[in-house]
Amino acid sequence: MTSAAVLTTRFRARRRPTWALSTQVLLALVVLLLGTVFLGSVIAPYGATDGDPANRLLGFGSAGHLLGTDGQGRDILSRLILGTRLSLLTGIIPVLIAGTVGSAVGLCAGLASRLVNTLIMRTLDVFYSFPSILLAIGVAAALGPSIKNAIIALSIVLIPPVARIVEAEVVALRSAAFMKVAECSGASRFLIAVRHVVPNIRAPLVVYCTTLIGLSIVDAAGLSFLGLGASPPTAEWGLMLNDARNYFFRAPAVALAPALAILLVALLFNALGDRLRVELDVRQRGATP
Amino acid sequence: MAAPEFLLEGRGLTVTYGNGVRAVSDVDLTVRHGEIVGLVGESGCGKSSLANTVLRMVKPQSGTLSFNGKDLLAMHGDELKAVRRSLQVVPQDPSTSLNPRLTIAQSVEFNLKVHGWGRRERRARVMEMLDRVGIPASYSTRYPHQLSGGQLQRVAIARALVTDPSLVVCDEAVSALDKSVQAQILNLLAQLQRDLDVAFLFVSHDLTVVEHVSDRVLVMYLGRIVEEGPATEILTAPRHPYTQALLASIPTRGQQRAAIHGEPPSPVNPPSGCGFRTRCPYAVDACAGYDNTPHAVGPDHAARCVRLDDLALTAPQAWRNS
Ligand SMILES: Nc1ncnc2c1ncn2[C@@H]1O[C@H](COP(=O)(O)OP(=O)(O)OP(=O)(O)O)[C@@H](O)[C@H]1O
Ligand SMILES: [Mg+2]
C-alpha cells in the first residue's frame, strides 16, 4: 500500500445510511415542537395573559378561539403554544443534567471495585425506591416553588435511573471477551472506559434518555399542577390543567387541550426513543456501501 | 547479557480458585523463542487457567514465572504494561473478542494506541498487519458483524501481532471455526510464526489441531502435565496412557474412534496419586501412591506415570482393542 493511500485511510465507519421514514417523521415533529418554542409569540393569535371576561369558557371551534377560552377568557390555543417553551424546557433540561451526571456515576460504579460499586448503587437505590413524582414533590417542596427548583428536583429524581441503566450496561460489558483482551493489551482503565465502554453504552443511553423526556414532561406538569413549579399566570401545561380543575364539571373541554398536549408530547418522545433503539444499533445497518 | 534459554519459563505453577478448585497443579511450562508449544487436554482440565496465568490475568497460588528472564509475577505498573506489549492473546470466539461497536481497523489500532504509537505510524502498521493476515484494505471500516468467523479470527490475529510481540497465547483460537476454516487459520499461524519469528502457546482440546502446528506438545489432565515432548514423538510414540487415549479418540478413516471411558474426576477433590488412575485401564495399586514426579523417556520428552517401564504402549491401536 502506498503512503498516500495510508494517509487517506479512514478507520471510522462511513456514516450510516438514511433513517427510516417513521424516524424521520418523529424527528420532524420534534423539530416542529422546537419551532413552536422559538416562534411561539409569532404564531400565537393572542397573548398568554390576554383575558376577555365576556368570552369565558368558550367551547372548541368558537369564532376566533379555535380551542375555546379558559375561565378567565384567555385563548387556550395561544396559551398552549406559548406554554410549549416551559413544558419542553422542564422536560429536556433535567434529562440533560441527569443524563450527564447519571452516566458518569453509573460508569464509575460499573468500573469500580465491588465495594465502591455496592456503596454507590445502594445509595442510589434509596432514592430509586421512591416513586419518581413523590421524590420530585418532596425535593421541590423543600426547595420552594419555582421553575428552577422544579428543574433541580426533576434532575435529582432522574439521576438514579440513568445511573442504574448505565451501571447495568457496564457490568454486563465487563465480562465481554474484548474487555479481557483490552486489559491484556495493557490499556489503562480510563482508556478502556473511553474506547470500549462508552461506544457500547452510548446508544442505550440516548434511547433511554429520550424516553425519559416524556416522563420528565409529565412530572414537571405534575409539579406545576400541585403549585410547585411555574406560578400563575404563566402559560404552562401543568398549570393550565390545574386551572381547568375549577371548571371541570361545567367545561371539561378546558382540561382536554393541555392534557392531550402533555400526553401526545410524552408519547412522541417515547416513540422516538423506540425508533432510535433500532437506528443506533450498528448491527442493524447494512453492509458498508 | 545473553538471551535466556527460555522466552517463558514457569516452574511449579499452581492455581487454586476461591471455590477450592485446584485448576493447575505444580506445572512446569517453558516456551523457547520462536517456538510453537501446544497445550492439549479435555475440557475443564485447566488449560485456560494456565494460559490466563501466563497472561497475568490469574494469580498463581505458588510457583515462579519468568518472561525474557524477568520475573513476570512481580511486575506491575509501567513495567507490566511494557511486557504486555510483547505478550499478546488470541481468544476463542472472535465474534465476542472484537468490540461490536468498533470497526475492525479501530480494534487493531487500539492495541497500538495503548502503547503510545503516533497516528500516522498506527495507520500504516494496521494496514500492513491486516494485509499480512489476508484481510482486504477495503474491509478495514467494517464492523465485526459484517465479517465471517474466519475473517474475524484473522483480525484477532492481526490485533495480537500488531505490537510485534514475542509470545502469543492462543486459547482455543480455532475451536469456534469450521474444520476447513480451521486449517486455513492454522496455516496462517504457521506462516506468521516463520515470517515474524514469534512464539505461540497454542491451547486446544483437540489434539489434531495442536499436532498440526506445534513443535512441542504438553498434554494436560486434571491440572497436571502428564506428558510433554516433541510433537512428532507424542504422536508416534506416546508414553502416557492418557496421551494414548487422546490419540485413539481421534477419528481416522474406516476406524471406530475409541472414547475415553467415564468422566474426569472433580478438580475440587482429585484422586490421590495419578489423577488419571480412575479412568486408566492400566491402573494398579501403586498409582494411588504415585508422587507425580516426571520421568524422562527421551531428550525433551517426559511423562508422569508409574508404569512407564513395564507398559510398552506405542501404537494407538493397542488402546482401541482394549
Ligand atoms: N474463575 C474461576 N473460578 C472458579 N473456578 C474456575 C474459574 N475458572 C475456571 N474454574 C474451574 O477450573 C477448572 C479448570 O478450568 P479451565 O477453564 O482452566 O479449563 P479448560 O481446560 O480451559 O477448559 P475448557 O476446554 O472448557 O476451556 C474447571 O473445573 C473450572 O470449573
Ligand atoms: Mg478454556
Side-chain angles (χ1 to χ4, degrees), chain A residues 96-108:
Chain A
L96 286 180
I97 296 174
T100 314
V101 179
S103 43
V105 172
L107 198 61
C108 290

Side-chain angles (χ1 to χ4, degrees), chain B residues 17-19 21 23 41-50 171-172 205 267:
Chain B
Y17 290 111
N19 54 4
V21 173
E42 279 170 298
S43 179
C45 73
K47 305 182 297 291
S48 295
S49 303
L50 185 57
D171 191 355
E172 305 273 10
H205 66 273

Side-chain angles (χ1 to χ4, degrees), chain A residues 233-275:
Chain A
T234 321
E236 201 270 350
W237 297 347
L239 210 53
M240 288 170 72
L241 211 52
N242 182 333
D243 206 32
R245 202 168 41 113
N246 303 321
Y247 320 102
F248 193 73
F249 292 106
R250 256 194 299 158
V254 179
L256 205 59
L260 271 182
I262 294 167
L263 181 70
L264 290 179
V265 172
L267 277 179
L268 169 64
F269 281 104
N270 264 306
L272 183 64
D274 242 27
R275 281 307 307 165

Side-chain angles (χ1 to χ4, degrees), chain A residues 31-41 43 80-82 84-85:
Chain A
V31 170
L32 203 72
L33 266 180
L34 291 176
T36 319
V37 169
F38 290 107
L39 301 174
S41 47
I43 309 169
L80 215 52
I81 291 174
L82 293 164
T84 314
R85 190 176 62 92

